[in-house]
Amino acid sequence: MDISFLSTFGILTILAWTLPEDTLRNILPFIDVFVFGGFTLTIGAAWACFKLRFMDQLMLDYVSDEELSHPSIQHLIVRTTQMFLVGFTLMAVIAAVNGTLSVTGNNTNTLRIVLLVLEYSIFGIMLTIAQWLYPEYLVSEKGMKMIGDKYPDECAAWEAANPDHEWAKE
C-alpha cells in the first residue's frame, strides 16, 4: 500500500515540478486518471512482480503474524486486493470520461458533479466492503463454512502448525 501511494504521488510531484505551466493546465482535468490509474498500475505491478498485495500491510495492523498466514486472512487479502484493482480502474475510467468531456467542452457542471460523485462513491463502497462487510461475512458461520470448504487442506495445515491458537480450537 505504501509503495502504491509513494510511487504514484512521487511521480505526480516530479511531473508538477518539471512540466511547463501551460502543459499542467492542459492535463489538470485528467489528474484523477493519473492518481487512480497510478494506484491501479502500482498495485497490479507490486502484486504481479513482487507478490506484494495491497492489503498485506494493512492487515499487519489488525492481526498477528501467525493469524496473517490463516487461509481466511489470505482469502480476505486476495479478494480485497482484487476489488481495489477493479475499483481503482473503474474510478480512472470515470475520471477519463469526465476529463475528456471537460477538455472538449461537452461537460456541464451538473454532469461533472454526477461523475465525481459516482467516482468517489466507488471508493466509499470499496472501503465499506474491505473494512467492514467482507470481514464480517468471513467471521460469520456461513463465511467460516465457505473457507473450510474452499481451503480444507490449508486450514488443517494451519491448525496443525498453530494448535494452541484460539482459531484452531474453533
Side-chain angles (χ1 to χ4, degrees), residues 72-73 132-144 147 167 170:
S72 64
I73 299 297
W132 179 53
L133 293 176
Y134 205 60
E136 285 296 318
Y137 166 73
L138 286 180
V139 298
S140 72
E141 188 175 320
K142 189 176 179 181
M144 288 184 188
I147 293 295
W167 292 0
E170 294 179 357

Coordinates of all heavy atoms in Angstrom, one line a residue, residues 72-73 132-144 147 167 170:
S72 N -8.3 -17.9 5.9 CA -9.3 -16.9 5.8 C -8.7 -15.5 5.6 O -9.3 -14.7 4.9 CB -10.2 -16.9 7.1 OG -9.5 -16.5 8.2
I73 N -7.6 -15.2 6.3 CA -7.0 -13.9 6.2 C -6.4 -13.8 4.8 O -6.5 -12.7 4.1 CB -5.9 -13.6 7.3 CG1 -6.6 -13.7 8.6 CG2 -5.2 -12.3 7.0 CD1 -7.6 -12.6 8.9
W132 N -15.4 -3.6 6.4 CA -16.5 -4.0 7.3 C -17.2 -5.2 6.8 O -17.3 -6.2 7.5 CB -17.4 -2.8 7.5 CG -18.6 -3.0 8.3 CD1 -18.6 -3.6 9.6 CD2 -19.9 -2.8 8.0 NE1 -19.9 -3.7 10.0 CE2 -20.7 -3.2 9.1 CE3 -20.6 -2.3 6.9 CZ2 -22.1 -3.1 9.1 CZ3 -21.9 -2.2 6.8 CH2 -22.7 -2.6 8.0
L133 N -17.9 -5.1 5.6 CA -18.8 -6.1 5.2 C -18.1 -7.5 4.9 O -18.6 -8.5 5.5 CB -19.5 -5.7 3.9 CG -20.5 -4.5 4.0 CD1 -21.0 -4.1 2.7 CD2 -21.6 -4.8 5.0
Y134 N -17.0 -7.5 4.2 CA -16.4 -8.8 3.9 C -15.8 -9.4 5.1 O -15.9 -10.7 5.3 CB -15.4 -8.7 2.7 CG -15.2 -10.0 2.0 CD1 -16.3 -10.6 1.4 CD2 -14.0 -10.6 1.9 CE1 -16.1 -11.8 0.7 CE2 -13.8 -11.8 1.2 CZ -14.8 -12.4 0.6 OH -14.6 -13.6 0.0
P135 N -15.0 -8.7 5.9 CA -14.5 -9.3 7.2 C -15.7 -9.9 8.1 O -15.5 -10.9 8.7 CB -13.8 -8.2 7.9 CG -13.4 -7.3 6.8 CD -14.5 -7.3 5.8
E136 N -16.8 -9.1 8.2 CA -17.9 -9.6 9.0 C -18.5 -10.9 8.4 O -18.8 -11.8 9.1 CB -19.0 -8.5 9.1 CG -18.7 -7.4 10.0 CD -18.5 -7.8 11.4 OE1 -19.4 -8.6 11.9 OE2 -17.6 -7.3 12.1
Y137 N -18.5 -11.0 7.1 CA -19.0 -12.2 6.4 C -18.1 -13.4 6.7 O -18.5 -14.5 7.0 CB -19.1 -12.0 4.9 CG -19.3 -13.3 4.2 CD1 -20.5 -14.0 4.2 CD2 -18.2 -13.8 3.4 CE1 -20.6 -15.2 3.5 CE2 -18.4 -15.0 2.8 CZ -19.6 -15.7 2.8 OH -19.7 -16.9 2.2
L138 N -16.8 -13.1 6.7 CA -15.8 -14.2 6.9 C -15.9 -14.8 8.3 O -15.6 -16.0 8.5 CB -14.4 -13.8 6.5 CG -14.1 -13.7 5.0 CD1 -12.7 -13.2 4.8 CD2 -14.4 -14.9 4.3
V139 N -16.2 -14.0 9.3 CA -16.3 -14.5 10.6 C -17.6 -15.0 11.0 O -17.8 -15.6 12.1 CB -15.8 -13.4 11.7 CG1 -14.4 -13.0 11.5 CG2 -16.8 -12.3 11.7
S140 N -18.6 -14.9 10.1 CA -19.9 -15.5 10.3 C -19.8 -17.0 10.1 O -18.9 -17.5 9.5 CB -20.9 -14.9 9.3 OG -20.7 -15.3 8.0
E141 N -20.9 -17.7 10.5 CA -20.9 -19.1 10.3 C -20.8 -19.5 8.8 O -20.1 -20.5 8.5 CB -22.2 -19.7 10.9 CG -22.3 -21.2 11.0 CD -23.5 -21.7 11.7 OE1 -23.9 -21.1 12.7 OE2 -24.1 -22.7 11.3
K142 N -21.6 -18.8 8.0 CA -21.6 -19.1 6.6 C -20.2 -18.8 6.0 O -19.7 -19.6 5.1 CB -22.6 -18.2 5.9 CG -22.8 -18.5 4.4 CD -24.0 -17.7 3.9 CE -24.2 -18.0 2.4 NZ -25.2 -17.1 1.8
G143 N -19.5 -17.8 6.4 CA -18.2 -17.5 5.9 C -17.1 -18.5 6.3 O -16.3 -18.9 5.5
M144 N -17.2 -18.9 7.6 CA -16.3 -19.9 8.1 C -16.5 -21.2 7.3 O -15.5 -21.9 7.0 CB -16.5 -20.1 9.6 CG -15.9 -19.0 10.4 SD -16.1 -19.4 12.1 CE -15.7 -17.8 12.9
I147 N -14.8 -20.9 3.9 CA -13.4 -21.0 4.0 C -13.0 -22.5 4.2 O -12.1 -23.0 3.6 CB -12.8 -20.1 5.1 CG1 -13.0 -18.6 4.7 CG2 -11.4 -20.4 5.4 CD1 -12.2 -18.2 3.5
W167 N -8.1 -19.8 17.1 CA -8.8 -20.1 15.8 C -8.7 -21.6 15.5 O -9.6 -22.1 14.8 CB -8.2 -19.3 14.7 CG -8.4 -17.8 14.8 CD1 -9.1 -17.1 15.7 CD2 -8.0 -16.8 13.8 NE1 -9.1 -15.8 15.5 CE2 -8.4 -15.6 14.3 CE3 -7.2 -16.9 12.7 CZ2 -8.2 -14.4 13.6 CZ3 -6.9 -15.7 12.0 CH2 -7.4 -14.5 12.5
E170 N -11.6 -23.5 17.2 CA -13.0 -23.3 16.7 C -13.5 -24.3 15.7 O -12.8 -24.9 15.0 CB -13.1 -21.9 16.1 CG -12.9 -20.8 17.1 CD -13.0 -19.4 16.5 OE1 -13.2 -19.3 15.3 OE2 -12.9 -18.5 17.3

